[in-house]
Amino acid sequence: MNERQGSTGPAPRATTETTSEPVEVDALDPDLAPEAPMDPVPEAERRRVLVTGATGYVGGRLIPRLLHVGHSVRALARDPGRLADASWAGDVEVVRGDLEDPGSLVEAFAGQQVVYHLVHAMSAGGDFQAAELEQARNVARAAREAGVERIVYLSGLHPEGEELSKHLASRVAVGDTLLASGVPTIVLEAGIVIGTGSASFEMIRHLTEVLPYMPAPKWVRNFVQPIAVRDVLHYLVHAAVVPAEVHGAFDVGGPDVLRYGQVMNGYALEAGLKQRPIASLPVLTPWLASHWVNLVTPVPRAIAMPLIGSLMHDCVVTERRIDAIIPPPADGLIGYRRAVRLALVREQRGDIESSWRSASAAGAPSDPLPSDPGWSGSTVYEDARERTTSAPPDAVWEVVESIGGESGWYSVPMLWSIRGLMDRIVGGVGLRRGRRDPERLRANDVVDFWRVERIERGRMLRLRAEMKVPGRAWIEFRVDPADEPGCTRYRQRAIFLPSGLGGRLYWWSLVPAHHVIFDTMTTRIVGAAEALADERRRARG
């Protein structure tokens, strides 16, 4: 970038240690202490802030921290309903807008002083470069016309003067577009982000845990500079109040420079696993590697491909000009091994603020279930089942809301596993995404290869399919008091809107399997609720 100045040369190389004890959850361990809250900014420095990408991994964590330090936050979303259950939803203004529709941005950008652009389209698959560039141009134009005082963009570390992967080239192009907007802009170019729920961390974790021996591309020996998500948020929050004359791209990374193979073995040590032998295979291309990652980790191919492509380069900090503008945290930047330790502990505690899973799967439908698709002329297939149970509604709902993830689907596990594997083979998300919280769901949460489209807690849960299917599919659960006193009416409905002849053949070919799966699911959910109710009665004596 032409805004990059004052490079100080490569940062010193560092390596991981060779021994470690498995992580223990200990609230008194200062190395695992909760994140220290940032100090509120003075009244004169409080800003009106617009955040794009509020449903994403970084955006979902940034917003509560901006609120904590005293800024007024407006969140932009194509579907505001996806933010309805966020813990901070009541403290922000949520506005509807689409970054690919310039007209929808006029009102959203009006009156804002700072805009955080945190949307990345790589999970959309296809030509994500063109989509990201169009969005950046629209953001630049809207910010300029609205009189915005500052744009902040999170990009990625990359080498200068090399042919970049599509992923990194797109990040650079977006940054250049925003820097040319006429609005003071700060582009933070970060290394691999390490934290619970980040796609990079999930890929490292699952590759290391699943494979005792790792065949890997030759670029596994390239250098990277991971950064803890806490430190990324530190730089982002403080970027809102940097002086107006600050304009350009700045490297940000953690204190450790490691080969990617050391990154994986560093995770193994912190997780209490043996270090993995790694064999470098020159024939394992990014395309083949992304298929491999798709099969053995929860990260779908549409996200794995650009992430792996970026590893073909050394991605390290080459200058530290950011330190003169935004000093590091008072207790220093977090090292890689400690960042892994923190992530593992937070995951053990179920403390996951946001996740890459919040991004819609590539090619997955995002339209909600039509209110009456049959009336509108669409072909609709349904599998509807109903049971009356002696279990009270709250017991039935508890079972329904815990469905998926570790709890499973209350029906033939082998058939679900086969369906998940088939989805992975064709590039889908499969069953490995799990769920954010084992007990509670909120709108837009992922549940394996489904997504929560609507939830009325205690009464109704509707999941929209994100697996590869020739059409659109939903499964809906309803819990209502029955006519009989003390009983509950449980209703379960699978809905499929086929696309073309292939969709119709798909449905009819699965009717026998659906009969087994959905009938068993109904029976076992009701049975689990009755067992839970009996257990509660015994506990009460």
Side-chain angles (χ1 to χ4, degrees):
M1 291 183 182
N2 53 14
E3 283 79 5
R4 181 186 295 278
Q5 299 174 358
S7 174
T8 59
R13 303 291 190 198
T15 59
T16 57
E17 300 170 22
T18 57
T19 60
S20 177
E21 294 298 321
V23 65
E24 297 289 343
V25 178
D26 183 354
L28 300 179
D29 184 346
D31 203 34
L32 303 179
E35 180 179 359
M38 299 180 190
D39 294 332
V41 298
E43 186 90 26
E45 295 184 5
R46 295 182 181 179
R47 302 287 188 264
R48 296 183 302 278
V49 175
L50 174 69
V51 177
T52 72
T55 60
Y57 176 69
V58 174
R61 297 184 180 221
L62 175 63
I63 287 176
R65 288 160 178 81
L66 291 172
L67 291 169
H68 175 79
V69 299
H71 298 305
S72 173
V73 178
R74 176 182 291 175
L76 180 77
R78 282 183 299 178
D79 177 10
R82 293 177 63 179
L83 297 175
D85 287 337
S87 60
W88 38 261
D91 300 316
V92 305
E93 178 188 4
V94 180
V95 296
R96 187 184 302 275
D98 185 341
L99 294 182
E100 296 184 11
D101 177 10
S104 72
L105 305 181
V106 175
E107 185 176 346
F109 279 64
Q112 300 305 292
Q113 296 170 290
V114 179
V115 170
Y116 284 89
H117 183 48
L118 301 175
V119 171
H120 301 295
M122 66 181 183
S123 64
D127 191 359
F128 68 86
Q129 291 174 283
E132 290 190 343
L133 192 57
E134 179 186 2
Q135 292 169 0
R137 288 170 178 158
N138 292 338
V139 167
R141 184 183 307 112
R144 183 173 58 252
E145 294 176 354
V148 168
E149 300 169 9
R150 165 72 58 197
I151 296 174
V152 182
Y153 174 60
L154 182 63
S155 184
L157 284 174
H158 62 276
E160 298 288 350
E162 294 186 22
E163 182 179 354
L164 301 176
S165 68
K166 289 183 178 181
H167 169 49
L168 286 179
S170 181
R171 296 288 177 94
V172 173
V174 168
D176 284 342
T177 299
L178 298 175
L179 286 164
S181 65
V183 178
T185 298
I186 184 166
V187 176
L188 297 172
E189 298 179 339
I192 296 173
V193 178
I194 303 300
T196 48
S198 83
S200 297
F201 179 70
E202 290 292 309
M203 191 167 76
I204 293 165
R205 170 188 161 199
H206 285 272
L207 283 173
T208 307
E209 290 183 352
V210 171
L211 303 174
Y213 169 80
M214 282 187 271
K218 61 182 180 180
W219 32 265
V220 77
R221 297 187 60 76
N222 287 349
F223 286 100
V224 293
Q225 194 159 353
I227 182 169
V229 67
R230 289 189 186 186
D231 292 334
V232 173
L233 294 167
H234 166 83
Y235 287 115
L236 285 170
V237 169
H238 286 84
V241 295
V242 298
E245 62 271 16
V246 174
H247 180 78
F250 302 86
D251 290 356
V252 294
D256 299 324
V257 177
L258 310 165
R259 296 187 189 276
Y260 196 74
Q262 293 175 313
V263 167
M264 290 190 284
N265 273 321
Y267 172 87
L269 291 169
E270 290 302 330
L273 304 172
K274 293 181 179 179
Q275 293 194 65
R276 286 2 189 183
I278 299 175
S280 177
L281 303 179
V283 296
L284 198 56
T285 66
W287 184 83
L288 287 172
S290 68
H291 279 272
W292 179 239
V293 169
N294 182 68
L295 285 173
V296 301
T297 82
V299 181
R301 189 172 62 210
I303 293 178
M305 183 71 177
L307 288 178
I308 290 171
S310 67
L311 298 176
M312 295 175 66
H313 315 277
D314 284 343
C315 293
V316 298
V317 169
T318 59
E319 49 83 15
R320 286 283 188 182
R321 291 178 300 125
I322 193 65
D323 291 348
I325 300 164
I326 304 175
D331 54 354
L333 296 169
I334 297 172
Y336 171 67
R337 292 271 296 275
R338 182 181 171 220
V340 169
R341 204 173 309 139
L342 289 166
L344 289 171
V345 168
R346 294 196 71 169
E347 186 169 83
Q348 289 173 19
R349 293 171 176 164
D351 184 12
I352 302 175
E353 286 186 75
S354 61
S355 171
W356 65 271
R357 295 171 174 85
S358 299
S360 296
S366 57
D367 294 333
L369 175 66
S371 58
D372 196 347
W375 178 86
S376 66
S378 301
T379 298
V380 184
Y381 296 125
E382 289 192 10
D383 182 293
R385 299 174 189 272
E386 180 178 323
R387 296 284 171 85
T388 298
T389 171
S390 59
D394 64 319
V396 180
W397 178 256
E398 184 172 331
V399 175
V400 167
E401 194 175 9
S402 66
I403 200 165
E406 294 297 322
S407 297
W409 290 89
Y410 295 95
S411 61
V412 195
M414 183 179 69
L415 293 179
W416 284 95
S417 297
I418 291 172
R419 184 62 183 88
L421 178 60
M422 291 170 57
D423 196 52
R424 303 292 289 183
I425 290 172
V426 298
V429 295
L431 284 172
R432 293 178 180 268
R433 293 191 299 177
R435 44 183 288 162
R436 178 189 57 83
D437 185 291
E439 297 177 354
R440 288 181 65 84
L441 293 173
R442 61 190 186 193
N444 197 47
D445 270 3
V446 159
V447 184
D448 295 329
F449 46 38
W450 304 86
R451 183 175 296 275
V452 178
E453 180 175 281
R454 184 179 175 190
I455 182 169
E456 298 174 17
R457 186 153 281 106
R459 184 171 177 272
M460 190 273 278
L461 172 66
R462 182 188 298 151
L463 306 177
R464 183 178 68 246
E466 291 195 338
M467 77 283 276
K468 300 282 188 180
V469 291
R472 294 185 290 160
W474 295 262
I475 187 166
E476 185 176 276
F477 309 89
R478 288 185 177 269
V479 178
D480 297 296
D483 294 336
E484 298 88 339
C487 293
T488 302
R489 183 186 182 198
Y490 169 73
R491 289 178 290 166
Q492 174 184 299
R493 184 170 66 130
I495 309 107
F496 184 64
L497 274 60
S499 177
L501 177 61
R504 289 157 175 79
L505 293 175
Y506 170 85
W507 175 267
W508 287 110
S509 69
L510 290 176
V511 165
H514 283 168
H515 178 76
V516 173
I517 290 171
F518 294 132
D519 188 67
T520 305
M521 180 185 290
T522 304
T523 301
R524 290 183 178 174
I525 285 177
V526 168
E530 291 173 352
L532 178 61
D534 288 343
E535 182 181 337
R536 288 176 176 174
R537 281 192 290 268
R538 287 195 298 271
R540 289 194 298 265

